[in-house]
Amino acid sequence: MHDYRLAAIPGDGIGPEVVEAGLEVLRVCAATDGGFGVAIQAFDWNSENYLLRGHYIPDGGLEQLRTFDAILFGAVGSQRVPDDVSLWGLRLAIVQAFDQYANVRPARLLPGVSSPLDKGDDIDWVIVRENSEGEYAGHGGRAHRGLPIEVGTETAVFTRVGVERIHRFAFELASQRPRRHLTLVTKSNAQRFGMVMWDEIFFEVARDYPAVKVDRELVDAATTRMVLKPDSLDVMVATNLHADILSDLASALSGSLGIGPTANLNPSRQFPSMFEPIHGSAFDITGKGIANPIATFWSVAMMLEHLGEARAAQRLMHAIEETTAAGEHTPDLGGQATTRSVTAAVCRALTG
C-alpha cells in the first residue's frame, strides 16, 4: 500500500468550499480502494493572509511544497487585491517554479448535463496548454507612468525547448486516444515571429508521430469550429493565452465552468504537479453553499491518474458520472443541489 503526501491550497472565494469537498471525496476513494492512503497538509496561502502579511507564499514555502507528491489547488483572487498581484503571487509562482509546463484540460458532456450546443454530445476534447512561457512569460514593463507618453509592453516569449516539449507532450497524448487527432492552434498570420516558429516546430515534431492525424487552425477560427463542428476536434495544442481562453469556452460548451478540471503537469516528475478546478474564485456565490464541486472531483481523478492510481481514478469518474446522470445538479447546471449534497452523492456512489 502506497501512502501519498498531498498539499492542499484552498485559496480564495469558493476555493475552500470545493477543496474541502474534494478532499472528502479523495479520502473516501482511498478508503474504499484499499491500495493507497493519503496524508494531507493544508496551506493557508490566500489573499486574506496576503493583506495581513504582505505575501502569498512565505519564505521557504516553495521548498516545503516541493516535498509533496501532488498539490490540490482551489482558486486565487480577491476583490481587495489586484488580479495580477494575486495570480503572480500564488498560482503562477507555483506553476513556474515547479516547471509545470503542460496544462491539460479535458472537456466532454457528462451524463445528465445539458450543453448550450445542439451538438453537445459531440464534445470530447483535450486542450493542451503551454503553461510556462508564451504570452504569460512575465516579460515587459511600464515607463513614464501617468504621462501622455506612458508605455506598457507585454512580450510573448517562445523558446525552442519550450515549444518542442509541449508539442511532443500533445502528440504523445493524442497518440493514446482512439482518434489520434491533434489540431495545432496558432495565430501565425498576425504574430509572425514566435508563432511562426511555433508552427514550424510542430510540423518538425509531427514527423516522429506518423500515426497521428494533424491539422492547423487559427485561434479565432478554432472558436467557431468548437461551436459549429465539435466532432471535428479531438486534442488541441495552443499557447498559454490562447488555450486559457479556449478551455473556458470548452467548459462552458460542456455545460458549466463548474465542471472543468485542470492538471498543471511537470511531466519529468522532478517537481510535484498541481490540480485545480477551472472556475476561479466566484465571489458571487462564495459562502452560499452552492459551488459546484464536480470540477474539483474531476481534477482529483486526474491527480490519481497522474500518481499511478488508474483504478481509483476510473472509479471516481464513474461516481461523478453516476451523480450527474441522477440529476444531482448545482444551480450553474440548472439544478437545486448544494455543494454538500453533490459531495454526499459522489461518496455514496464510491461506497455503494
Side-chain angles (χ1 to χ4, degrees):
M1 178 169 164
H2 193 99
D3 288 327
Y4 297 103
R5 294 184 65 248
L6 305 177
I9 306 175
D12 298 325
I14 63 171
E17 301 171 45
V18 296
V19 166
E20 179 185 3
L23 294 178
E24 180 178 344
V25 163
L26 175 60
R27 290 186 179 100
V28 171
C29 197
T32 55
D33 184 89
F36 69 97
V38 291
I40 299 160
Q41 182 172 341
F43 292 83
D44 63 348
W45 301 348
N46 55 37
S47 293
E48 288 298 317
N49 280 324
Y50 167 80
L51 292 168
L52 287 173
R53 303 168 186 166
H55 58 71
Y56 280 90
I57 302 175
D59 289 343
L62 287 174
E63 288 77 8
Q64 184 180 7
L65 201 60
R66 183 177 178 174
T67 65
F68 288 83
D69 295 304
I71 305 161
L72 182 63
F73 187 86
V76 65
S78 167
Q79 293 168 316
R80 296 195 291 156
V81 180
D83 287 342
D84 61 307
V85 172
S86 59
L87 184 65
W88 282 94
L90 186 53
R91 184 186 174 277
L92 287 182
I94 296 169
V95 167
Q96 294 202 349
F98 290 165
D99 200 22
Q100 296 168 351
Y101 68 82
N103 178 289
V104 181
R105 292 183 170 182
R108 60 183 172 86
L109 202 60
L110 295 175
V113 175
S114 298
S115 167
L117 293 184
D118 291 337
K119 301 177 180 179
D121 288 336
D122 292 335
I123 296 173
D124 186 4
W125 306 322
V126 179
I127 297 175
V128 176
R129 169 184 174 186
E130 200 296 308
N131 210 31
S132 67
E133 52 180 37
E135 305 88 347
Y136 295 177
H139 283 253
R142 289 174 66 180
H144 310 297
R145 290 182 182 236
L147 299 177
I149 59 170
E150 182 172 1
V151 175
T153 61
E154 201 77 51
T155 303
V157 176
F158 297 93
T159 65
R160 174 166 284 275
V161 66
V163 175
E164 180 175 349
R165 67 184 184 176
I166 197 63
H167 285 330
R168 198 166 293 280
F169 179 92
F171 271 102
E172 290 287 345
L173 191 153
S175 69
Q176 297 165 19
R177 285 173 57 88
R179 294 175 60 192
R180 295 180 187 157
H181 179 198
L182 178 60
T183 299
L184 167 68
V185 179
T186 183
K187 194 58 181 172
S188 53
N189 60 338
Q191 295 175 284
R192 57 185 180 156
F193 301 114
M195 291 236 61
V196 169
M197 186 179 81
W198 169 269
D199 291 3
E200 290 173 354
I201 295 173
F202 177 88
F203 289 108
E204 290 172 12
V205 173
R207 292 196 289 266
D208 294 336
Y209 298 89
V212 176
K213 175 187 173 184
V214 300
D215 62 351
R216 174 182 174 277
E217 197 73 81
L218 296 177
V219 64
D220 41 337
T223 63
T224 62
R225 188 167 156 189
M226 289 167 71
V227 172
L228 299 177
K229 299 178 180 179
D231 62 342
S232 72
L233 294 163
D234 181 22
V235 181
M236 293 170 263
V237 61
T239 66
N240 217 328
L241 173 64
H242 294 162
D244 191 6
I245 296 167
L246 293 180
S247 55
D248 273 25
L249 174 61
S251 286
L253 295 177
S254 303
S256 168
L257 291 182
I259 62 175
T262 303
N264 301 287
L265 300 178
N266 174 251
S268 71
R269 299 177 186 264
Q270 180 183 2
F271 302 100
S273 295
M274 182 165 68
F275 303 82
E276 60 177 322
I278 199 174
H279 50 59
S281 302
F283 306 117
D284 56 327
I285 60 169
T286 297
K288 296 182 178 180
I290 57 172
N292 192 341
I294 293 295
T296 305
F297 299 160
W298 195 344
S299 298
V300 168
M302 295 180 76
M303 180 175 68
L304 288 170
E305 186 173 8
H306 177 73
L307 292 172
E309 301 295 340
R311 182 181 65 180
Q314 188 176 45
R315 288 181 59 243
L316 178 51
M317 282 308 304
H318 285 326
I320 292 168
E321 292 171 349
E322 183 178 323
T323 298
T324 59
E328 192 72 30
H329 298 166
T330 44
D332 59 300
L333 293 175
Q336 300 296 319
T338 65
T339 309
R340 291 299 316 145
S341 67
V342 174
T343 303
V346 171
C347 289
R348 284 196 301 273
L350 283 168
T351 56

